[in-house]
Amino acid sequence: MADCRGAALTSYIHRALEERVPYDELVKRLIITNGKANKVPEVGFVLGDDADPMALASATAQVFMGVRMGCAQCHDHPFDVWTREDFYGMAAYYGKTRRIESQLTKVVYTTEADQTTVLWPP
Protein backbone atom coordinates (compact mmCIF):
# COMPACT_ATOMS: atom_id res chain seq x y z
CA MET A 1 0.00 0.00 0.00
CA ALA A 2 2.81 2.43 0.83
CA ASP A 3 4.25 1.96 -2.68
CA CYS A 4 0.89 2.90 -4.23
CA ARG A 5 0.71 6.05 -2.06
CA GLY A 6 4.27 6.98 -2.99
CA ALA A 7 3.58 6.48 -6.69
CA ALA A 8 0.39 8.53 -6.49
CA LEU A 9 2.21 11.32 -4.65
CA THR A 10 5.06 11.32 -7.17
CA SER A 11 2.58 11.48 -10.06
CA TYR A 12 0.72 14.29 -8.33
CA ILE A 13 3.93 16.32 -7.90
CA HIS A 14 4.97 15.75 -11.52
CA ARG A 15 1.52 16.85 -12.71
CA ALA A 16 1.62 19.95 -10.47
CA LEU A 17 5.04 20.89 -11.87
CA GLU A 18 3.84 20.40 -15.45
CA GLU A 19 0.83 22.60 -14.68
CA ARG A 20 3.16 25.20 -13.13
CA VAL A 21 1.40 25.17 -9.76
CA PRO A 22 3.16 27.85 -7.68
CA TYR A 23 5.61 26.37 -5.15
CA ASP A 24 3.83 27.83 -2.12
CA GLU A 25 0.51 26.36 -3.29
CA LEU A 26 2.05 22.94 -3.90
CA VAL A 27 3.67 22.88 -0.46
CA LYS A 28 0.45 24.06 1.17
CA ARG A 29 -1.50 21.23 -0.46
CA LEU A 30 1.05 18.66 0.70
CA ILE A 31 1.13 19.73 4.34
CA ILE A 32 -2.53 20.64 5.01
CA THR A 33 -4.59 18.14 3.02
CA ASN A 34 -6.49 15.40 4.84
CA GLY A 35 -8.29 12.52 3.19
CA LYS A 36 -8.16 8.96 1.98
CA ALA A 37 -4.85 7.76 0.59
CA ASN A 38 -6.44 6.19 -2.49
CA LYS A 39 -8.51 9.29 -3.30
CA VAL A 40 -6.27 12.26 -2.39
CA PRO A 41 -2.65 11.80 -3.52
CA GLU A 42 -1.45 14.86 -1.58
CA VAL A 43 -1.87 13.00 1.73
CA GLY A 44 1.00 10.76 0.66
CA PHE A 45 3.45 13.28 2.11
CA VAL A 46 1.94 13.08 5.60
CA LEU A 47 1.25 9.34 5.38
CA GLY A 48 4.80 8.68 4.18
CA ASP A 49 5.84 9.32 7.77
CA ASP A 50 2.68 7.72 9.21
CA ALA A 51 1.54 11.19 10.34
CA ASP A 52 4.25 11.21 13.03
CA PRO A 53 4.67 14.88 14.03
CA MET A 54 8.38 14.56 14.84
CA ALA A 55 9.23 12.82 11.56
CA LEU A 56 7.10 15.30 9.63
CA ALA A 57 8.77 18.30 11.28
CA SER A 58 12.16 16.99 10.24
CA ALA A 59 11.02 16.07 6.71
CA THR A 60 9.19 19.37 6.19
CA ALA A 61 12.22 21.42 7.21
CA GLN A 62 14.55 19.40 5.01
CA VAL A 63 12.34 19.00 1.94
CA PHE A 64 10.73 22.43 1.77
CA MET A 65 13.21 24.70 3.56
CA GLY A 66 16.47 22.90 2.74
CA VAL A 67 17.34 22.80 6.43
CA ARG A 68 18.34 19.80 8.52
CA MET A 69 16.86 20.41 11.92
CA GLY A 70 16.10 16.84 13.00
CA CYS A 71 18.91 16.87 15.55
CA ALA A 72 17.10 19.73 17.31
CA GLN A 73 14.51 17.18 18.41
CA CYS A 74 16.93 16.18 21.17
CA HIS A 75 19.20 19.23 21.58
CA ASP A 76 19.83 22.69 20.20
CA HIS A 77 21.51 22.47 16.80
CA PRO A 78 25.29 22.55 17.34
CA PHE A 79 26.16 24.42 14.12
CA ASP A 80 23.04 26.42 13.29
CA VAL A 81 20.44 28.65 14.88
CA TRP A 82 17.76 25.96 15.32
CA THR A 83 16.78 25.22 18.89
CA ARG A 84 14.91 22.34 20.41
CA GLU A 85 11.98 24.69 20.97
CA ASP A 86 12.01 25.60 17.24
CA PHE A 87 11.80 21.92 16.37
CA TYR A 88 8.88 21.30 18.72
CA GLY A 89 7.15 24.38 17.32
CA MET A 90 7.41 22.89 13.83
CA ALA A 91 6.24 19.48 15.08
CA ALA A 92 3.28 21.12 16.85
CA TYR A 93 1.90 22.04 13.44
CA TYR A 94 1.32 18.32 12.81
CA GLY A 95 0.37 17.52 16.41
CA LYS A 96 -3.35 17.16 15.68
CA THR A 97 -2.93 15.14 12.48
CA ARG A 98 -3.84 11.48 12.83
CA ARG A 99 -3.33 8.46 10.60
CA ILE A 100 -6.39 6.23 10.66
CA GLU A 101 -6.73 2.77 9.13
CA SER A 102 -10.15 1.17 8.94
CA GLN A 103 -10.01 -2.33 10.43
CA LEU A 104 -12.84 -3.41 8.16
CA THR A 105 -11.84 -1.96 4.79
CA LYS A 106 -8.11 -1.28 5.42
CA VAL A 107 -8.61 2.20 3.93
CA VAL A 108 -5.95 4.60 5.24
CA TYR A 109 -6.70 8.27 5.73
CA THR A 110 -5.69 11.34 7.70
CA THR A 111 -7.85 13.48 9.90
CA GLU A 112 -7.43 16.19 12.51
CA ALA A 113 -8.02 15.51 16.20
CA ASP A 114 -9.09 17.98 18.87
CA GLN A 115 -5.94 17.53 20.97
CA THR A 116 -2.29 17.79 20.00
CA THR A 117 0.27 15.12 20.76
CA VAL A 118 3.15 17.63 20.80
CA LEU A 119 3.75 19.60 23.95
CA TRP A 120 6.40 22.09 25.01
CA PRO A 121 8.33 21.46 27.11
CA PRO A 122 8.34 17.78 26.21
Side-chain angles (χ1 to χ4, degrees):
M1 182 82 160
D3 292 335
C4 294
R5 287 192 304 262
L9 176 61
T10 301
S11 293
Y12 172 79
I13 292 171
H14 281 270
R15 195 169 45 256
L17 293 173
E18 288 171 0
E19 294 171 3
R20 299 187 186 274
V21 172
Y23 182 74
D24 62 329
E25 181 64 27
L26 175 60
V27 172
K28 181 174 132 181
R29 290 178 190 173
L30 294 175
I31 67 173
I32 70 167
T33 301
N34 283 317
K36 294 180 180 178
N38 59 347
K39 302 259 186 213
V40 185
E42 300 97 297
V43 301
F45 178 74
V46 172
L47 288 173
D49 283 315
D50 287 330
D52 177 283
M54 302 307 189
L56 285 164
S58 184
T60 298
Q62 188 166 355
V63 170
F64 300 119
M65 298 170 21
V67 174
R68 292 183 144 222
M69 67 185 287
C71 64
Q73 179 177 352
C74 300
H75 52 82
D76 290 348
H77 198 294
F79 311 116
D80 213 332
V81 299
W82 308 109
T83 66
R84 193 168 181 217
E85 188 171 0
D86 293 331
F87 180 87
Y88 274 77
M90 177 82 79
Y93 175 80
Y94 293 106
K96 291 184 176 183
T97 303
R98 302 291 186 270
R99 177 194 183 276
I100 308 292
E101 182 173 351
S102 168
Q103 296 302 314
L104 182 61
T105 63
K106 300 298 183 196
V107 170
V108 177
Y109 62 96
T110 60
T111 190
E112 189 170 309
D114 293 332
Q115 298 293 319
T116 184
T117 60
V118 178
L119 303 174
W120 181 258

